[in-house]
Amino acid sequence: MGLVAAPVVAVVAPELMPELPLFFGLMVSTSVLVLDRRHVDWRAVGWTLPARALGTVPGVWLVVVFTNAQIGIAVATMVLVAVLVSWRTITVPVNPATMVAAGFIGGVGGTATSIAGPAVALLFQHGRPSEVRATLAVFFAGGVLMSLGALAVVGHFSTASIGLAVLCAPLVGLGLWLGHHTRDHLPRERFRRVVLLVCAASAVALLLKSL
């Protein structure tokens, strides 16, 4: 959701960044958590989520000091880095140090750009799909609430993003339903590469616009 939605929102409505993609992410993560809640790896959550809370602080600072154009450049850069990392399989050891680092990076990136996923997804990419989905859902849902709360505290919170998120909720729900019913029937690797190419194209368009 972050890789697809963030660059699009940053292009067409930069004043709604990062709140609107964060709301979208909250919808997705809570829905996934309802479906896969039995498979949560709470040990991993215990290391990554507190670290995300720490990363929220510099993330909020970046939102306050950056202009819309600078946020756009940051979002585009995050997406392109995530695409490059996702395109090539890289194995990272899963231990307390890497989980804390991934959680902190997710806190900074998730609050500043609404993209918190690359580091933690890279870390847990070789886990069982149901466990990874459930664990990341807890990380994303809890992290989004932290980020939105911190943005509200510093006065960087667009009420328009709430209304638009509510309007778009049925479309997010439709996407979740389609994804749930087609994920075992799609050519997974080909579909993943098409999504990454779309994300990269959006990021390049955003980067050019911001520059």
Side-chain angles (χ1 to χ4, degrees):
M1 172 60 86
L3 293 185
V4 174
V8 174
V9 174
V11 167
V12 300
E15 69 278 4
L16 299 180
M17 285 292 296
E19 301 91 76
L20 183 57
L22 285 172
F23 278 121
F24 289 159
L26 184 61
M27 295 178 202
V28 173
S29 56
T30 51
S31 300
V32 171
L33 185 56
V34 169
L35 293 172
D36 292 317
R37 60 188 178 278
R38 298 186 307 276
H39 305 292
V40 177
D41 180 352
W42 290 107
R43 174 179 172 272
V45 171
W47 285 106
T48 56
L49 199 55
R52 169 150 185 174
L54 293 175
T56 300
V57 177
V60 167
W61 178 78
L62 290 174
V63 172
V64 171
V65 300
F66 275 17
T67 64
N68 284 342
Q70 290 169 327
I71 289 289
I73 293 170
V75 170
T77 303
M78 284 282 289
V79 172
L80 291 173
V81 168
V83 168
L84 289 173
V85 169
S86 301
W87 200 274
R88 307 221 8 150
T89 302
I90 300 172
T91 301
V92 179
V94 181
N95 55 49
T98 57
M99 286 190 284
V100 168
F104 182 81
I105 294 169
V108 177
T111 305
T113 69
S114 78
I115 302 172
V120 287
L122 178 65
L123 196 62
F124 298 120
Q125 64 181 319
H126 299 297
R128 289 187 297 114
S130 58
E131 185 176 289
V132 172
R133 282 195 299 267
T135 304
L136 294 186
V138 175
F139 175 80
F140 291 141
V144 166
L145 292 174
M146 293 176 192
S147 296
L148 289 173
L151 290 168
V153 167
V154 298
H156 193 287
F157 195 89
S158 170
T159 54
S161 62
I162 300 175
L164 193 53
V166 171
L167 287 175
C168 291
L171 298 175
V172 176
L174 176 62
L176 284 165
W177 182 84
L178 287 172
H180 181 69
H181 285 84
T182 60
R183 67 187 182 196
D184 295 326
H185 306 290
L186 291 170
R188 205 167 276 206
E189 183 61 22
R190 189 181 307 167
F191 181 76
R192 185 178 73 91
R193 289 184 180 271
V194 169
V195 171
L196 290 175
L197 286 172
V198 171
C199 293
S202 298
V204 170
L206 172 60
L207 187 61
L208 293 174
K209 177 179 182 292
S210 300
L211 289 174

